[in-house]
Amino acid sequence: MTHNDRWVSIREARQETSVGKTVEVRGWVRTRRDSKAGFSFVELNDGSCFGNLQVVAPGELDNYAEEVQKLTAGCSVVVVGKIEASPAKGQATELHAQSVRVLGWCDGETYPLQKKRHSFEKLREWAHLRARTNTFGAVTRVRNQICDSIHNFFQENEFYYIQTPIITASDCEGAGEMFRVTSLDLDGLAKSGRPVNYEWDFFNKPTYLTVSGQLEAETYATALGRVYTFGPTFRAENSNTSRHLAEFWMVEPEVAFFELADNMRLAEAFLKRILTDCLQQCDEDMTFFEQRIAPGVIEQLTRVVEQPFEHMTYTAAIEVLEGSNESFEYPIRWGADLQAEHERYLTEKHVGGPVILTDYPSTIKPFYMRVSDDGKTVAAMDVLVPGVGEIIGGSQREERLDVLRRRMQEAELDMDEYAWYVDLRRFGTVPHAGFGLGLERAVQYVTGMANIRDVIPFPRTPGNADF
Ligand code: 4AD
Ligand code: MG
């Protein structure tokens, strides 16, 4: 993959099997320590793994006094040398340098990431540099692993990956929390006092950034059977919490000939696959989270993988909450939406693990969810997990033409705008179901990171779209 056969990643250089090889590594200095015996230790990281490679730079190097002894955190270097077994604890190998070439200096006075630890709040101001820290390197590798597991899980289970539009005219969740997309000159219109007319807009009608690819995914599920869409979604909800972003990534599988119980089994197997892969593939990063961010996280996730998820209806959950002696901020009432504090009580205190809540009142769920025989609830399912609350939301979809039409009228949807969606019920309708997993909440769950702003490279939240 490179014209230079000697160049290896630090991940590879750290492996015992590399001992004896002459290699080149390229990376950024984390620390330098000079020994009285006339040589220096340079800790190098290139992002390929959590751990650093210890470079032993002998005083005989041409540029030892001129350059090596001036290396500081952040400098970029190319080192050629021989990998030896390391006598030091916690590392199998070290690199005995034959040459150290400096590519870029890094001014220690002005570089913000000095050895001192910074708060995550402070690091958000340096979102362009925070990827260089231990925590954000580890988060990034785990996030990548989760994305890989998502594709692998669905591909192995015969799902097709489809791409649904980002610009859309439909409000899937019906919550009206959409960002508008327009090419109209709104400033000019305001100045001239003329009204905004969306017929003159780019698409000749109002359009928005999508809140979910579900409705479009349904069109492909009712043709190809099993599909998933995975992309960015946007919500203009004014929630300044540690679990909400205005731009987040969601993976949404949609399956034909599927009912609620099938959907729950799929969600459980899917989530367990993600956890298993992270525990197995990201062991160094997970050990870091265990030691520095969320003590107990490895054992907790291991236990989750081994045990079946609990199931509970919304109605049963309300009874549990009413029977608890907690003083909640929001009142508990059948028919009211569960708040984060309720969800966390159920999963953290009552169940002590993941719980799938089902059969929510139809009045608090979107129009597309299948109405149950009782006429009051819908075939909805939310997966709640400790520390995060809702991680997955899904349902069986309403496949009956007449019931869907009625629900759409109740929701006051524009029937013309959704005619294509109704067609799926007019032509060969089938029971089908699906769900959405918020990628960032999954990363939070696996890593134990408290704030969702710290598990996405560049968070978008109310009042903040820097970088
Ligand atoms: O429960 P939600 O709103 O469900 C849907 O969008 C369905 N259309 C999914 C489907 O059935 N295909 O969102 C799904 C998940 C939530 O459980 C949560 O993990 C995440 O998306 N999510 C958010 N993550 C970060 N910031 C936000 N503002 C989020 N809103 C939802
Ligand atoms: Mg939801």
Side-chain angles (χ1 to χ4, degrees), residues 365 382 390 392-393:
K365 288 293 187 187
D382 278 6
E390 181 191 336
I392 286 178

Side-chain angles (χ1 to χ4, degrees), residues 183-184 189 194-205:
S183 59
L184 289 175
L189 284 171
R194 276 180 298 156
V196 176
N197 183 350
Y198 288 101
E199 276 171 35
W200 292 355
D201 202 350
F202 192 92
F203 299 104
N204 309 125
K205 63 177 177 185

Side-chain angles (χ1 to χ4, degrees), residues 39-166:
F39 61 91
S40 299
F41 293 110
V42 180
E43 293 284 326
L44 215 59
N45 192 284
D46 68 356
S48 60
C49 61
F50 185 87
N52 301 327
L53 178 66
Q54 177 169 291
V55 175
V56 182
E60 291 77 41
L61 292 176
D62 294 347
N63 59 346
Y64 185 72
E66 271 305 296
E67 297 195 316
V68 174
Q69 284 196 301
K70 291 179 184 151
L71 288 173
T72 53
C75 292
S76 53
V77 293
V78 179
V79 182
V80 175
K82 195 169 166 203
I83 306 216
E84 306 279 6
S86 177
K89 241 178 59 189
Q91 56 190 29
T93 68
E94 58 189 32
L95 181 64
H96 289 215
Q98 291 151 13
S99 75
V100 175
R101 187 153 60 92
V102 182
L103 297 184
W105 292 100
C106 183
D107 176 22
E109 295 293 309
T110 49
Y111 186 50
L113 303 180
Q114 289 305 315
K115 247 181 131 183
K116 160 176 179 299
R117 286 179 68 144
H118 298 286
S119 69
F120 291 142
E121 287 78 14
K122 192 76 209 161
L123 286 173
R124 273 174 227 145
E125 294 171 22
W126 301 321
H128 59 307
L129 296 174
R130 66 179 182 167
R132 302 174 179 207
T133 64
N134 281 336
T135 305
F136 288 88
V139 165
T140 304
R141 283 183 295 270
V142 168
R143 187 178 164 109
N144 174 70
Q145 177 57 53
I146 295 175
C147 294
D148 192 42
S149 300
I150 287 170
H151 286 296
N152 288 338
F153 176 85
F154 287 124
Q155 293 295 328
E156 287 163 19
N157 285 286
E158 302 179 287
F159 283 67
Y160 294 107
Y161 173 35
I162 60 162
Q163 293 77 33
T164 48
I166 287 175

Side-chain angles (χ1 to χ4, degrees), residues 312 315-325 328 332 345-346 350:
M312 194 189 286
T315 304
I318 292 291
E319 283 163 14
V320 167
L321 292 166
E322 278 171 347
S324 80
N325 284 324
F328 295 113
I332 299 145
Y345 175 84
L346 290 168
H350 183 71

Side-chain angles (χ1 to χ4, degrees), residues 212-228:
S212 160
Q214 178 198 320
L215 303 188
E216 290 91 348
E218 284 185 50
T219 67
Y220 272 68
T222 52
L224 288 121
R226 301 173 162 227
V227 301
Y228 68 105

